[in-house]
Amino acid sequence: MKKFFSILFSAIVMAGLASCADDVQQMASQISVDPGSVTIESGGLSFVATVKADGIWTSTSPDWVTLSPAYGTGDTQVSITVAPNSDATRSGKISFESAIGAVSSTNIDLDGAPQSVIAVTQAGDGGGSGGTKIVTCKQFCELPDDDLNTYQISGSITRIVNTKFGNFDITDASGGTVYIYGLLTPDLRQQVCFNEQGLAMGDEVTVTGTRTKWGSTIEIVDAVYVSHVKSLLSLEEDSATVGKDGGSFTIVADAKGSNVNVSFAEEWLECTNIEKSGDVVTLTIAAAANLEAPRNAVITLSSATESASSTVIFTVEQEGNINPIDIGSFIALDDDPDSWFRIKGYVTSINNIAKGRFDLTDATGKVYCYNIATEKGGSTNLTGKFEVGDVVTVVAYKTTYSGTIEAVGYLEAVEKVTVSTLAQMTANRTSGATVEGTVVAVSKQGFVIDDGTDAAYVYAGKTFDPTLFKIGDKAKVKVADGKNVVYNFATEINGYEIAFKSGSVADFVQPKPKTADAAFLDAAVAAIDGKDKSKDDLVSVEYVTIEGKLSKSGNYYNIVIDGTAVQCSVSNPLDSLNLDALDGKNITISGYAMGISGSGTKYYNFIAVSAAEKK
């Protein structure tokens, strides 16, 4: 159940500091309304709101909203009609006010005026210029993936990733969130707009752009700035971390509106105190001790005036007593029956299913699960629960018996696994899959697998340990939803949920390579002209040989090839290739293609398998 907190600050001044719980009890809502917000399509809508009041109440609303009745006494059902909107998206608020001294349980009222508000946002049939249509963030998110029209959206900044380039989330009253990946000034200058405009958390920003999708994230790449309104709210800090034993933290907000609404849904959080000094509101929030897995929460603060509203987000992360850990790290722990961890892997063998004894394996190692119960405190008979090849999660502590490392605990989850081919995976990018293939190339940040139907680069990131897999290993990879993507015009598994070495191919031999000469590279670049690097799978992940001069610049290893402006770029090469010693020399290098990047000079990227000076 969502928690709302209501404080009349004039009462705080007279009575001193008080807890949120005490204030809510002492000032039970004398006027409130349900719902607190609505989002309406352009054609208009009628709906019923419930006003609860202890006396006479009145209302105010925009001229495009009609209330019946518009005033009354006590609890009342109010019919509200929103007129059709043939213009741009619009928003406003319907305020219900009481003449007797109490406040809405959904508001911290900065002026001491008892009221409750319905925030109304209505889509429009148009209103943009030059073919640009104005839509809500939710409508923008619901557009089809192949929509290339230009749209205008507005929303409050609820997360900032990067201020130099302008990477941030905006959220509006429709509940939709759009990620802005790069913000341009109206004259299309890059990397300056966010800081030039003085944008900050909570500001209401209007941008234009086309819809793109990265994994499951809806975004605009290089959105064009239109305008913004400074937030009525700003936070001193926008996040807090709490230890597993619990504790308190504060939220300090500078509030310019007539009220502040504070809400969160988590039962393990409780508001214990509120203070106000001028426009500054300080909330103290207590977090209960956490005996389970790490958890997080979002606290929403909003403020409004007659003409504007703002929303900011405060995030809380709490450590847990049952932390996820890979199997290799679990094996390295000291034996401790009081320290429990969550481990996940493939069931690679079963010793005795009736006694809960089996091997669990991931990319980092294998552990013997001993006497695993069906649930905490349950029996160990796991008959029918899973079979070899399924993915199992257990909560366990580490112990050692006669030299064998064991995980002792209980079963938490089972995922039945059906192995798909890479060709089947790439034909259905809307969902995850489990694939199995031969490791044909390894870099410092991932590896390439080939199952005979297709090949894909498995990107694991900077934390990847390249010793986990070697060329010729068989690898099974569980790919989560949204991680089967097209990146730089090639298929990529953008991080795996779980993987492990499932075998090896004796006497593995690479296939005959294609020669990536000037004509080959020019044709590859010509094929991607005007295409979408995150949608159009136009570069085959295949084995190629390249001849040219190696040029190292920082961490980049590029190869200049005679007869073409296209360069080849070696991605995160292993130290064993010894490319530093080949810098400036003409070399022959072989590896697997993984896409084409670059806005000026085009780079044909690949994972190197072998390299040598050309004789």
Side-chain angles (χ1 to χ4, degrees):
M1 181 176 68
K2 201 157 202 173
K3 297 184 182 180
F4 297 92
F5 296 103
S6 170
I7 298 295
L8 180 60
F9 284 108
S10 59
I12 292 179
V13 173
M14 293 184 292
L17 304 183
S19 74
C20 295
D22 289 344
D23 282 319
V24 171
Q25 184 177 7
Q26 292 167 7
M27 286 180 274
S29 173
Q30 305 253 341
I31 181 167
S32 64
V33 65
D34 183 49
S37 65
V38 292
T39 300
I40 308 295
E41 297 298 326
S42 59
L45 180 72
S46 294
F47 65 96
V48 175
T50 301
V51 176
K52 292 187 176 182
D54 290 346
I56 299 172
W57 58 267
T58 60
S59 67
T60 57
S61 62
D63 57 10
W64 39 275
V65 176
T66 302
L67 279 69
S68 180
Y71 57 90
T73 302
D75 297 352
T76 309
Q77 297 291 303
V78 178
S79 177
I80 300 176
T81 301
V82 179
N85 181 19
S86 60
D87 203 345
T89 297
R90 59 190 178 186
S91 61
K93 69 174 184 177
I94 307 168
S95 297
F96 298 85
E97 301 179 356
S98 172
I100 56 178
V103 297
S104 162
S105 61
T106 61
N107 290 305
I108 298 170
D109 193 318
L110 301 185
D111 294 334
Q115 63 176 8
S116 195
V117 174
I118 302 175
V120 183
T121 300
Q122 185 180 24
D125 281 338
S129 60
T132 299
K133 185 174 181 179
I134 299 174
V135 295
T136 66
C137 288
K138 182 179 180 181
Q139 290 170 328
F140 185 83
C141 292
E142 293 173 348
L143 293 170
D145 288 346
D146 58 355
D147 193 310
L148 298 179
N149 294 306
T150 300
Y151 294 90
Q152 179 174 303
I153 58 174
S154 301
S156 297
I157 299 177
T158 50
R159 181 178 69 115
I160 298 175
V161 176
N162 180 294
T163 60
K164 177 181 178 181
F165 299 99
N167 302 340
F168 56 96
D169 284 337
I170 62 171
T171 303
D172 67 3
S174 71
T177 296
V178 178
Y179 183 46
I180 307 301
Y181 187 75
L183 184 66
L184 308 183
T185 54
D187 58 358
L188 305 185
R189 286 182 294 126
Q190 298 186 23
Q191 303 180 11
V192 296
C193 189
F194 193 95
N195 288 328
E196 267 194 3
Q197 297 296 338
L199 295 173
M201 189 73 76
D203 288 355
E204 179 89 7
V205 180
T206 299
V207 301
T208 60
T210 56
R211 184 187 187 278
T212 60
K213 188 176 183 181
W214 171 250
S216 59
T217 301
I218 307 299
E219 61 183 33
I220 299 178
V221 176
D222 290 341
V224 179
Y225 169 88
V226 176
S227 64
H228 81 280
V229 177
K230 292 302 294 181
S231 176
L232 299 173
L233 280 171
S234 62
L235 298 180
E236 189 172 281
E237 301 287 344
D238 62 5
S239 64
T241 301
V242 184
K244 63 183 181 181
D245 296 327
S248 295
F249 58 91
T250 59
I251 302 174
V252 181
D254 188 353
K256 304 295 186 185
S258 59
N259 59 68
V260 174
N261 302 332
V262 182
S263 67
F264 51 88
E266 288 69 23
E267 293 296 330
W268 51 275
L269 293 177
E270 190 68 41
C271 177
T272 59
N273 195 50
I274 293 180
E275 300 177 30
K276 179 178 181 292
S277 177
D279 291 336
V280 178
V281 179
T282 302
L283 296 92
T284 301
I285 308 292
N290 184 14
L291 302 178
E292 300 294 334
R295 57 192 178 185
N296 56 70
V298 172
I299 299 174
T300 302
L301 296 88
S302 61
S303 185
T305 65
E306 289 295 334
S307 59
S309 62
S310 297
T311 299
V312 293
I313 299 297
F314 188 94
T315 58
V316 186
E317 294 186 355
Q318 185 176 27
E319 299 172 353
N321 280 300
I322 302 177
N323 293 297
I325 192 172
D326 62 60
I327 292 175
S329 299
F330 181 85
I331 291 170
L333 294 170
D334 293 332
D335 290 4
D336 184 356
D338 294 323
S339 296
W340 291 68
F341 296 87
R342 180 174 282 104
I343 55 176
K344 183 176 185 177
Y346 284 94
V347 177
T348 48
S349 67
I350 296 176
N351 175 273
N352 189 324
I353 193 69
K355 293 186 176 180
R357 300 173 186 177
F358 55 95
D359 285 328
L360 201 61
T361 307
D362 70 4
T364 64
K366 178 173 72 174
V367 68
Y368 183 50
C369 294
Y370 181 77
N371 287 3
I372 299 298
T374 55
E375 58 187 355
K376 192 172 184 178
S379 74
T380 61
N381 189 352
L382 301 179
T383 302
K385 296 291 185 181
F386 55 79
E387 56 191 19
V388 170
D390 290 340
V391 172
V392 164
T393 303
V394 300
V395 175
Y397 64 86
K398 185 213 168 185
T399 187
T400 305
Y401 179 76
S402 297
T404 299
I405 294 173
E406 297 176 344
V408 180
Y410 59 91
L411 186 69
E412 185 176 67
V414 175
E415 300 172 57
K416 295 292 183 180
V417 172
T418 300
V419 176
S420 302
T421 66
L422 286 167
Q424 289 170 331
M425 181 194 77
T426 56
N428 180 16
R429 297 193 185 276
T430 60
S431 61
T434 294
V435 294
E436 187 171 19
T438 303
V439 176
V440 294
V442 180
S443 77
K444 289 182 177 178
Q445 295 192 12
F447 55 95
V448 178
I449 59 170
D450 189 324
D451 70 350
T453 70
D454 205 347
Y457 177 52
V458 182
Y459 173 73
K462 294 181 180 180
T463 60
F464 177 68
D465 180 357
T467 65
L468 295 175
F469 298 102
K470 66 179 185 299
I471 292 174
D473 285 346
K474 298 288 288 185
K476 184 178 284 187
V477 181
K478 189 174 189 300
V479 187
D481 290 353
K483 297 297 184 179
N484 166 23
V485 301
V486 176
Y487 181 73
N488 286 335
F489 305 101
T491 291
E492 178 178 290
I493 296 172
N494 184 243
Y496 52 78
E497 185 175 341
I498 189 170
F500 83 107
K501 177 182 173 181
S502 57
S504 61
V505 177
D507 303 320
F508 174 79
V509 177
Q510 296 285 3
K512 182 179 180 180
K514 289 186 178 181
T515 300
D517 56 15
F520 176 95
L521 296 171
D522 286 343
V525 169
I528 67 169
D529 185 38
K531 304 297 184 180
D532 189 325
K533 66 180 181 180
S534 63
K535 294 180 181 179
D536 298 319
D537 187 359
L538 299 172
V539 178
S540 297
V541 179
E542 58 186 347
Y543 193 51
V544 297
T545 291
I546 298 162
E547 293 183 353
K549 186 176 182 179
L550 179 64
S551 174
K552 181 185 178 186
S553 175
N555 294 323
Y556 296 95
Y557 296 85
N558 298 324
I559 302 167
V560 179
I561 298 100
D562 289 340
T564 180
V566 181
Q567 295 186 28
C568 292
S569 181
V570 187
S571 178
N572 300 297
L574 298 179
D575 294 338
S576 59
L577 292 169
N578 201 23
L579 292 188
D580 287 350
L582 298 174
D583 185 25
K585 298 179 180 180
N586 290 316
I587 66 169
T588 300
I589 188 166
S590 299
Y592 280 80
M594 53 175 292
I596 297 174
S597 62
S599 56
T601 300
K602 296 295 184 182
Y603 294 93
Y604 184 78
N605 305 306
F606 69 104
I607 305 296
V609 169
S610 64
E613 185 175 1
K614 184 179 178 182
K615 303 299 184 181

